[in-house]
Amino acid sequence: MCIRDSFDTSTKPPRDIIESQLEFAGFLAFDNPLKPDSIQVIKSLTKAGCQVKIISGDHPTSTMHTAGKLGLLTKEGRRIKVETQGDQICLEEIVDDPKDDEISFRLESSSQHAEMIPSRIAHSDQLVMTGSAFEKLREVPFFGQMLKRTVVLARMKPEQKASAILLLQQSGAPTMMVGDGANDCTALKQADVGIAFSETDASYSAPFISGDTSIGCAIHLLLEARATILSLIHISEPTRLLSISYAVF
């Protein structure tokens, strides 16, 4: 963060003038910690058989850091970042720093043509994909399998988020989306189940709204849905048995 002496703003000086003769004042850090229950919620969803992904417009490095803290990016198998460099797709392996217990981001990279990617990615690999790579690869035949192995989608535009949801649905996967920003609205509408927090921009378009700002709302809604299905099964059971009895006698 820098400061400078005041100047006449009525003349609308160009940016290079405004940003000249600055005096360094210090660093301004922003901290957005995980909510206390986020790690446990992710564990519960994973244990229940749900495949959890992060779709974000944020920078890949910050998104990977969050995924690591949540336990979505693990040390079981390779973690590979997929991004573009010119006309090629760049695969970068995320390598652990032995001095740090958290995920570090020292990357070993190699550029590949799209048709070479399947031979470089193992079934156990965890992928981190940028929006530019998503846009370039989405039409190739093997992209569906890549998307299933992708844990983090970063630098995604609003329409790309919705496209990712649609591609997952086309692969036969029912999807739930939890979002809070205006850039999540399209994806929330596209998902089979869309949940937004009540005090956010996304609440105006989401089918479901949570008064709590915890992603635990996803678990609550799933439990309600499963309880409803079970109740319907029990309600219809006597009718089904009666129909069978009439058919027999």
Side-chain angles (χ1 to χ4, degrees):
M1 184 171 63
C2 298
I3 58 175
R4 63 157 294 168
D5 294 334
S6 61
F7 53 86
D8 184 10
T9 58
S10 62
T11 59
K12 295 183 180 180
R15 181 171 178 175
D16 57 341
I17 298 297
I18 297 175
E19 295 181 352
S20 63
Q21 300 179 12
L22 300 176
E23 179 181 351
F24 178 71
F27 292 102
L28 182 63
F30 294 92
D31 184 25
N32 187 16
L34 296 177
K35 292 182 173 64
D37 64 338
S38 293
I39 295 176
Q40 186 55 49
V41 169
I42 296 298
K43 286 181 179 179
S44 298
L45 288 171
T46 303
K47 186 177 180 180
C50 300
Q51 191 178 37
V52 183
K53 303 179 185 294
I54 296 178
I55 305 179
S56 173
D58 293 341
H59 192 275
T61 302
S62 59
T63 313
M64 283 191 289
H65 180 75
T66 300
K69 283 184 170 291
L70 289 171
L72 293 175
L73 279 179
T74 67
K75 297 181 181 180
E76 299 176 3
R78 297 185 303 171
R79 292 155 296 178
I80 297 178
K81 179 181 173 187
V82 185
E83 62 179 356
T84 57
Q85 288 186 355
D87 293 333
Q88 291 187 318
I89 301 297
C90 183
L91 305 181
E92 302 181 325
E93 183 175 358
I94 304 169
V95 182
D96 286 322
D97 186 344
K99 298 180 181 179
D100 193 348
D101 291 335
E102 296 183 357
I103 291 179
S104 62
F105 304 106
R106 180 169 60 87
L107 303 173
E108 298 178 353
S109 64
S110 62
S111 296
Q112 304 290 325
H113 290 287
E115 63 272 12
M116 297 293 294
I117 290 179
S119 63
R120 298 297 305 272
I121 297 178
H123 181 73
S124 60
D125 289 342
Q126 304 162 83
L127 305 184
V128 176
M129 188 180 301
T130 63
S132 59
F134 174 86
E135 199 65 35
K136 192 172 183 63
L137 291 170
R138 57 185 295 184
E139 301 298 335
V140 299
F142 55 81
F143 185 68
Q145 293 300 318
M146 284 189 67
L147 190 59
K148 288 182 180 180
R149 299 176 195 169
T150 301
V151 179
V152 172
L153 289 157
R155 278 285 189 248
M156 294 284 283
K157 299 176 182 178
E159 61 273 17
Q160 291 174 333
K161 292 182 180 182
S163 295
I165 297 294
L166 176 60
L167 289 170
L168 288 170
Q169 291 171 323
Q170 290 175 344
S171 70
T175 62
M176 172 185 284
M177 170 81 176
V178 180
D180 60 358
N183 57 355
D184 295 324
C185 291
T186 308
L188 287 167
K189 288 182 177 180
Q190 179 62 52
D192 296 295
V193 180
I195 311 175
F197 303 136
S198 61
E199 297 181 356
T200 62
D201 295 335
S203 64
Y204 293 100
S205 61
F208 294 93
I209 300 172
S210 171
D212 189 4
T213 57
S214 164
I215 58 174
C217 59
I219 293 180
H220 298 322
L221 189 56
L222 284 173
L223 290 174
E224 289 286 348
R226 292 184 179 185
T228 301
I229 292 173
L230 188 60
S231 297
L232 291 173
I233 292 173
H234 284 303
I235 291 172
S236 63
E237 188 70 15
T239 305
R240 186 176 66 86
L241 292 176
L242 186 61
S243 299
I244 293 174
S245 299
Y246 278 131
V248 171
F249 295 108

